[in-house]
Amino acid sequence: MKAVVFNGPYTVGVQEVDDPRIESPLDAIVSITTANICGSDLHPYEGRADMPAGSVLGHENMGIVTEVGSAVNRVKVGDRVSVPFNIGCGTCRNCEEGFTSACLTANPEGTPGAGYGYPKMGPYRGGQAEQLRVPWADFNLLLLPRGTDFENDFTMLSDVFPTGYHGTELAHVAPGRSVVIFGAGAVGLMAAHSAAIRGASQVFVVDKEKDRLHLASELGATPIDFSQESVEDVIMDATRGLGADCGIEAVGYQAHDASGEEHPEMVLDELVGVVRATGSIGVVGVYVPEDPASDEAPDGRVQFNWGAAWEKGLTIGTGQCPVKRYNRYLRDLIIEGVATPSMIVSHELPLEEAPTAYEKFDRREEGWTKVLLHPAS
């Protein structure tokens, strides 16, 4: 089959690889109809996360089940499914408590949490390919209505929509509360969409890319271009000097200032400054325990203003999104017309154009906000 293969930093290719096969009675094979390029895919692409050459990329996947193992009894051949980027066994303590993002069984490397096509998350190939093997299929796969309706909306259920929603959950967004979101990439935009669905009274989105800020305004949020104005001044003016009730970090450890210089602590410091005393912050941007390419935090020790955070009594929630906690409810919001996450899609491309898409997406070229790959096209 054809797949998007990582061959080294800034080098991906569409190559022939072996077809996946049933390796366990609990497996299923999914024929991929849509796989997205995620901002997290840029970490290995840029050489900031150690990935072996020859790895198949892609953790935002959906498609049609074409084969199931002998012990699979809920999922059937022909089912249309969303594939959460977390791989959970369904029976360990963390999975049973709803933390499929920290499964204790699925990753043979011994660390909690497993996923598709990503460094240190197990031996599982990604889904930017024609087919994907899904372990523990009955537990992991989310059933979707058959047909092709909502394809571009449903494809967001594997990661970015639940992750954005997870940010609002960690930040305790609720009706009438104000929220400031740093980062207008796909996750930040989905956090803004989720905050509006949850009844936030004010939603601010901070970035410097004009096309992404325009999408934030289309979602009903107030865009703030941090390269042109003080975020703190805007937030304090809009909240009568109190600060936002909630804040969401959707940038991660590669945060850049307006000049392009990297500062891993920058967004955390900004959030501590603009969220009101006793407010809440949700951190869904990726941070890593080691980053040898960083001059400021090679061992993952990001030095932000913890003293001010403590003094203000801020609640800070962090961590990878447990997709299964939210995806069925978000699916139903899409079906009922309450949520339309597809509005952030900028490009739909055949698999063969993935190398060009990675290059343009990585350079943040204007208009390249969310890229969907269709292996069958």
Side-chain angles (χ1 to χ4, degrees):
M1 70 172 182
K2 292 180 180 178
V4 179
V5 176
F6 174 79
N7 292 315
Y10 301 100
T11 308
V12 300
V14 178
Q15 300 168 207
E16 289 287 335
V17 301
D18 292 338
D19 290 348
R21 58 183 178 81
I22 298 292
E23 298 178 17
S24 160
L26 297 171
D27 288 352
I29 304 298
V30 175
S31 177
I32 299 297
T33 55
T34 305
N36 314 334
I37 298 178
C38 179
S40 296
D41 290 325
L42 299 182
H43 300 153
Y45 180 76
E46 295 174 352
R48 298 294 291 270
D50 189 20
M51 181 176 235
S55 300
V56 178
L57 291 159
H59 58 269
E60 297 188 15
N61 311 305
M62 66 174 290
I64 308 296
V65 176
T66 56
E67 186 179 358
V68 296
S70 59
V72 175
N73 55 34
R74 182 179 69 90
V75 174
K76 305 289 191 271
V77 171
D79 283 344
R80 185 187 187 202
V81 293
S82 172
V83 186
F85 80 91
N86 319 121
I87 300 173
C89 70
T91 57
C92 73
R93 175 176 178 170
N94 285 348
C95 283
E96 286 185 342
E97 293 182 355
F99 294 101
T100 53
S101 52
C103 176
L104 300 170
T105 303
N107 192 341
E109 295 188 28
T111 55
Y116 302 95
Y118 200 79
K120 298 182 180 179
M121 295 194 72
Y124 307 99
R125 293 199 302 192
Q128 290 170 13
E130 293 179 314
Q131 297 180 76
L132 176 70
R133 180 179 76 91
V134 177
W136 296 285
D138 274 339
F139 178 71
N140 285 297
L141 292 175
L142 174 70
L143 297 177
L144 303 171
R146 294 198 179 199
T148 59
D149 290 347
F150 304 110
E151 181 80 11
N152 290 1
D153 292 298
F154 287 153
T155 194
M156 303 299 175
L157 291 172
S158 57
D159 181 357
V160 289
F161 192 13
T163 296
Y165 194 90
H166 185 53
T168 64
E169 185 78 5
L170 293 175
H172 302 164
V173 176
R177 291 184 176 175
S178 57
V179 57
V180 55
I181 299 161
F182 281 77
V187 169
L189 292 170
M190 289 297 91
H193 194 27
S194 300
I197 290 170
R198 291 173 70 118
S201 59
Q202 295 172 292
V203 181
F204 305 92
V205 176
V206 181
D207 207 299
K208 64 182 179 64
E209 305 298 334
K210 290 180 172 51
D211 55 337
R212 298 181 177 195
L213 289 171
H214 174 71
L215 281 173
S217 66
E218 295 262 301
L219 287 165
T222 300
I224 303 174
D225 183 344
F226 74 83
S227 70
Q228 302 296 320
E229 54 190 340
S230 164
V231 178
E232 185 170 1
D233 287 349
V234 173
I235 297 297
M236 292 303 172
D237 286 347
T239 58
R240 302 177 300 282
L242 297 173
D245 297 309
C246 317
I248 296 172
E249 204 285 13
V251 179
Y253 71 107
Q254 289 181 261
H256 291 76
D257 63 20
S259 71
E261 186 174 344
E262 194 168 298
H263 298 280
E265 81 294 338
M266 184 179 76
V267 175
L268 294 171
D269 277 345
E270 288 271 12
L271 279 165
V272 170
V274 301
V275 173
R276 67 170 175 84
T278 73
S280 302
I281 295 172
V283 182
V284 290
V286 173
Y287 288 82
V288 293
E290 57 181 30
D291 178 20
S294 171
D295 293 330
E296 295 193 31
D299 56 359
R301 295 180 182 272
V302 178
Q303 299 181 19
F304 74 104
N305 197 342
W306 174 248
W310 184 90
E311 188 173 62
K312 293 177 78 170
L314 298 177
T315 298
I316 302 177
T318 69
Q320 191 184 95
C321 171
V323 171
K324 276 177 59 65
R325 184 177 296 179
Y326 311 112
N327 62 357
R328 69 180 61 245
Y329 305 111
L330 300 180
R331 174 199 62 190
D332 293 346
L333 289 176
I334 290 169
I335 292 170
E336 297 304 322
V338 177
T340 53
S342 62
M343 70 168 297
I344 69 171
V345 174
S346 61
H347 293 79
E348 297 181 68
L349 302 172
L351 200 67
E352 288 75 12
E353 295 187 35
T356 299
Y358 265 91
E359 182 180 349
K360 292 180 178 293
F361 185 52
D362 181 61
R363 293 202 303 248
R364 277 64 167 179
E365 289 195 9
E366 186 172 354
W368 288 78
T369 52
K370 190 61 178 176
V371 181
L372 311 187
L373 302 174
H374 298 299
S377 63

